[in-house]
Amino acid sequence: MSAILSADDLNDFISPGVACIKPVETLPLQKPADTVIPYEVTTEDKLPAEPPPPAHITLTDCLACSGCVTSAEAVLISLQSHSEVLHALDSAPCLSRERSCQQGSNCTDGDLGGTHILPSDAGKVFVASVSPQVRASLAATYGTTEQEAGWMIEQLLSGPNGLRTGGKYGNDFTWIIDTNAMRELGLVLGAEEVLASATTTEGISAFEAEGAATTQPKKPILTSACPGWICYAEKTHPHVLPHLSRLKSPQALTGTLVKTVLSQTLNIDPSQIWHLAIMPCFDKKLEASREELTDIYWRVSSSSPSATPVRDVDCVITARELLMLAEIRSISFPALPRQPLPYSSRPRFPDPKLNSFLFPNSRTPSSRRKPQLPAAGSSGGYLYHILCTQQSLHPGSAIHSTRGRNADVIEYTVSLHDEVLFRAARYYGFRNIQNLVRKLKPAKKSRMPGGKMIGARKPGLKSEMDYAYVEVMACPGGCTNGGGQIKVEDVGALQGVRQGQGQKEWLARVDEAYYSMDEDSRSAGEEAPRDAEGDVPMDGVEDSDVVNGISTSYIKNILAHWAALTGLEAHKLVYTSYRQVDSDVGKEKGRETERVIELAGKIGGGW
C-alpha cells in the first residue's frame, strides 16, 4: 500500500513556510515586578523577559493564507487520519443504547433518544458518512459490487466483528449514512439555482462579489462541490467567486444535518456529536476545516456559544485510510461479511421522516432513484441533473454533447427544433480549469485614450460566458480518480499478486463499479419493518415532478421539515460562502498557479 503523507516524513512540519502571515514569534509577557510603583512609567528593558510560547499553525491558518503552499499544509491535512478516528473513539463513552439492548433480541426501542437514555456531558454520538466513490474503489479492489462494499464498511464501523471489538470503550458508529441522500438534495437545489440565475440581472454589488451565501451566483454558475477547486479559486482567481454555486457539498450537507438534528432531538451539544466522513480525496479534509462549515454559521444566536467553533465534519479519511483503520485494529477487511446488518441492531434516526430519507427502503420515494449513468459522470451528476431538468421543462427537446480538447472537456446543449435552449459544459483537471478561469477573467479597460477593452471577446464568437452552468472538478476523470482512492499499485499489495494493468484500466474498473448499482439493489437484504408512527411518509410526492429519478417535491418537503425541526432558516442549512484569500507577505509574483498545480499533481488532486 502506498505511504500516506505524515508528520514523520517531512522536516518543515513545525515551522510554516517563509511567507506564512501568521507570526511565529511573540512578544514576551510583560509582567511588572512587585517593586514597581503604580502609575510609574517604565521601559521594556526593565521588564523580565519570558520565553515566548511555541507557535501553533493549524490547517485553518493555512487556508487563510495564499502566501505559501508547503508540505506543512499537506501534513496538517494528514492530521485528519485513521489515527484520529481511533483517538476519538477512545476519548469518551458512546451515547447510545445500552450494549445489552443493542445485542439483545427483545429490545423494541430502536430510537437512540429513547426514555432509557440519559445523555452525559462526557459521552459522544459517533456518526459516519460514506461516499459512493469510496464504495466503488473498494468494490473494484475486492471484486465485489458497490452495494456489498458498502455493507463491508458498515460491518467494520458498526458490526459485531468491527471496531467495537477493541478500544478503551468498545465504541462504534451508531449511524452510517450514504451521502447519496444529501446529494439528491444538492441536485434539486442546484437545478433551482440555475433556473434562478436565468432571471437575475448581470449587475452585482461589491458585497455579492465576495461570494456571500445569500447572493445569487452569476452566469455561468460553477460547481462548488470540489474543495480543491474552491481553494484554488479563492487563492489565485478571485474573479470567479461570483460564479461559484452557493450550495454546500454532500459532505457538508450531511455534516450540517447530523449536527443540527441530533443536537436538537437528543438535547446535547453539537460538540458531543462526532462526524466522520469517508471520501475519495484528501481535499475533503480542507473542506471540513473551513470556518464557514462550523456551528457558528447556523446555530441560533441566543444559544450559548461554544468555546471554539464545532465543525460540521470532525474528520475526513479516504478509502486507503479506511483500510489502514481496519489493519490497526487487526481486522481483515476482505473477510468482513458482505451483507447488511440486521435492522434489529440498527437504531432508528431520532426523527422518523429523516430516518426514511437517510435510510430508504423499497417503499420510500428515495428508493426510486435510478442508478448513476455514465453520461452523468463519476462526480455526483450535478450537470446531468440540470440538463435533465432543462429537458423536462421543454418537452421534445434533446441533449447533445460535443467533446472538447480532451476527454475531460465536454460541451452540452439542450436544443429543440435546431434551437439551442441551454448550454453547459464539464471541465475536469487543473489544466483544463486554468483555461476556463482565464476565459472568465473580465475585460480590462485600456489605459490608452480611446483604446479597446483588453480581453474582450469579438462579437458573434461563442465563449465560456455563454454557458449557464459548468461542472468543475480538480481531478482528471472525476471523483472516482480522487487522490485518496486505492491505486493500481496498491491492489497488488492488498491481494498479494502482481497487477499487469495500468492506472487507466484500473480507473475503468472503478468507474464500472460506480455505475454497477442496479435498481433492485436498494431493496435487497432484510426489509425494514413499517412502524406504528408511519416511518415512511409519502406526503408531498408527485410522480409528475420526478426528474432523473428524484422527486423534486419530496426533496423540498424534506428540506422544509429539516428547517422546521431545528428552528433554523433553510438557507443557513444548505448554503455557504466564499472569500478572496489575500497575502501581502513574501508572495512570489507569477508563481502561485504553478506551485498549486505542482503540489496537486503530487497528491492526486487539489493540493
Side-chain angles (χ1 to χ4, degrees), residues 1-2 137 140-142 320 323 480-510:
M1 172 165 289
S2 300
S137 182
T141 301
Y142 296 109
R320 286 188 284 170
L323 298 181
T480 51
N481 189 30
Q485 297 282 75
I486 300 171
K487 305 301 181 184
V488 64
E489 57 268 20
D490 301 329
V491 179
L494 290 171
Q495 299 181 349
V497 295
R498 184 174 181 179
Q499 293 291 316
Q501 60 183 343
Q503 182 66 19
K504 185 176 181 180
E505 291 77 12
W506 170 248
L507 288 178
R509 286 186 55 184
V510 177

Side-chain angles (χ1 to χ4, degrees), residues 511-564:
D511 287 342
E512 182 182 0
Y514 180 77
Y515 301 126
S516 67
M517 184 183 70
D518 57 70
E519 296 185 2
D520 295 331
S521 65
R522 294 181 63 84
S523 57
E526 183 183 352
E527 178 70 17
R530 179 187 294 271
D531 63 13
E533 297 179 3
D535 194 38
V536 187
M538 300 292 290
D539 54 306
V541 178
E542 302 174 5
D543 290 333
S544 59
D545 73 344
V546 175
V547 177
N548 189 28
I550 303 173
S551 171
T552 302
S553 58
Y554 174 70
I555 294 299
K556 290 182 178 179
N557 185 279
I558 288 294
L559 176 58
H561 176 75
W562 178 13

Side-chain angles (χ1 to χ4, degrees), residues 28 262 272 360 430 584:
L262 292 183
Q272 292 180 262
F430 268 112
D584 54 359

Side-chain angles (χ1 to χ4, degrees), residues 391-408:
Q391 190 178 31
S392 68
L393 296 175
H394 303 91
S397 61
I399 300 174
H400 303 280
S401 62
T402 304
R403 174 171 167 163
R405 300 179 60 182
N406 52 64
D408 283 328

Side-chain angles (χ1 to χ4, degrees), residues 9 20 48 81 113 221 283 325 400 487 501 507 529:
D9 300 326
C20 182
S81 65
I221 296 179
D283 292 337
L325 178 65
H400 303 280
K487 305 301 181 184
Q501 60 183 343
L507 288 178

Side-chain angles (χ1 to χ4, degrees), residues 63 223-236 281-287 290 430 433 472-475 596 600 605-607:
L63 288 175
T223 315
S224 60
C226 175
W229 147 241
I230 293 301
C231 203
Y232 171 73
E234 289 181 327
K235 288 189 174 185
T236 61
C281 73
F282 294 104
D283 292 337
K284 285 296 183 179
K285 301 172 191 263
L286 288 172
E287 177 183 305
R290 291 180 66 89
F430 268 112
I433 291 175
V472 184
M473 299 291 166
C475 295
V596 168
W607 292 110

